[in-house]
Every structure is written in C-alpha cells, then in structure tokens.
C-alpha cells in the first residue's frame, strides 16, 4: 500500500475513535474515490503516491466548487461544511506555491521555451508543457495560465 493511502487509512481510524464526524466522513469519501480509481479499467492495480495525491487534489477541487455553488444558492451552512472538508483534504496535499515562487518557475519555463525557439503569445502551449510537471498540483491551473500569459505579454 502506498504511504499516502496508508496515512489516510490511519487518520480515518483515529478520526473515528475521536468521533470527529467531519474528518471521518471526508476521509471515507476520499478513500472511496481512491478505491474506485484502483479498480477502474480492465485490471485492479495499486496507485502510486502521486496518483493518490492527484485524486485528493481532485476531491479538494470538488469541495471548493461545491462551496461556491452553495454560496450562490444561499446555503451558507452547506458551503461552510464543504470548505471545512476542503481544509481537511488540504492537509494531505503539498504546500501551495506563493505568487513569487510561481512567477519564478514560470520565468524559468519561458526562458527555456524561448531557448527552444518559441516566442510571444503563441508560446503558451510550449511554456505550459514545461511548467506543469514542475508545479504538479501545487497551484491551480487558472493561476498558472494567468502567470504564463503575464510573462509572455512582457
């Protein structure tokens, strides 16, 4: 079993013993999503820590989007619950990049793309290909794209 998945299971056991309903239900849903991914396809397989991390990030994003939807619908209580679940999941994700760190990574990628012959706004795809593996779940895609556009614009 991957170390991240094992940590989730251990934390679930701890949350159940502590009668922490929010944490235990959030971890249960996340472990279920991981298990679904493991048995999807033609053959069951064990997920790597990176794959488990992607699933946790996807679940956290679902919570953020749901919270926004509940806010728009006037259901503040439910929105708060979704935000709290997102905070539980954030504990298992890598620390997000600051704006300065993101700008530095994007600047490196732009320089690398220019060295490869890509310039101007058309270089967006080339720069994104370079920068995405370096960022790997530590920044929202929209934030990354905005930073790349800003760097390419000048």
């Amino acid at each position: 079993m991957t170390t991240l998945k094992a940590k989730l299971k251990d934390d679930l056991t701890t949350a159940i013993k502590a009668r922490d309903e929010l944490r235990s239900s959030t971890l249960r849903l996340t472990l279920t999503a991981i298990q679904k991914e493991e048995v999807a396809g033609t053959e069951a397989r064990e997920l790597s820590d990176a794959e488990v991390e992607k699933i946790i990030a996807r679940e956290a994003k679902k919570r953020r989007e749901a919270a926004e939807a509940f806010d728009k619908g006037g259901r503040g209580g439910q929105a708060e619950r979704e935000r709290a679940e997102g905070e539980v999941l954030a504990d298992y994700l890598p620390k997000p990049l600051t704006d300065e760190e993101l700008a530095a990574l994007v600047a490196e990628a732009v320089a690398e793309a220019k060295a490869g012959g890509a310039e101007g706004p058309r270089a967006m795809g080339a720069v994104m290909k370079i920068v995405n593996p370096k960022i790997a779940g530590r920044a929202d895609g929209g934030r990354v794209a905005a930073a790349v556009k800003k760097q390419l614009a000048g």
Side-chain angles (χ1 to χ4, degrees), residues 1-130:
M1 187 183 313
T2 61
T3 55
L4 188 54
K5 185 178 172 187
K7 181 174 175 19
L8 286 168
K9 285 188 175 192
D10 292 344
D11 289 354
L12 173 61
T13 303
T14 305
I16 291 170
K17 288 179 180 175
R19 301 203 186 287
D20 184 345
E21 192 276 329
L22 173 74
R23 190 171 204 81
S24 63
S25 68
T26 303
L27 293 177
R28 273 191 182 115
L29 287 169
T30 304
L31 283 166
T32 300
I34 292 167
Q35 196 170 20
K36 275 179 136 176
E37 191 72 29
E38 286 178 334
V39 298
T42 58
E43 194 174 303
R45 62 192 176 93
E46 189 74 27
L47 297 179
S48 69
D49 272 349
E51 291 170 315
V52 170
E53 203 173 274
K54 282 182 184 175
I55 293 170
I56 295 171
R58 186 172 58 212
E59 291 295 311
K61 183 178 179 187
K62 284 181 190 176
R63 300 308 189 286
R64 280 193 306 274
E65 290 170 352
E68 289 173 18
F70 283 128
D71 275 337
K72 287 179 184 172
R75 295 179 61 190
Q78 191 66 34
E80 282 304 312
R81 166 89 183 189
E82 293 292 335
R83 279 192 200 89
E85 287 181 6
E87 289 171 18
V88 168
L89 293 174
D91 294 343
Y92 300 97
L93 294 171
K95 190 172 106 6
L97 291 172
T98 64
D99 289 338
E100 293 79 29
E101 293 169 326
L102 179 61
L105 285 171
V106 168
E108 285 176 25
V110 167
E112 198 175 318
K114 282 185 180 176
E119 284 195 42
R122 291 190 176 145
M124 179 88 176
V127 174
M128 290 298 280
K129 278 183 188 170
I130 295 167

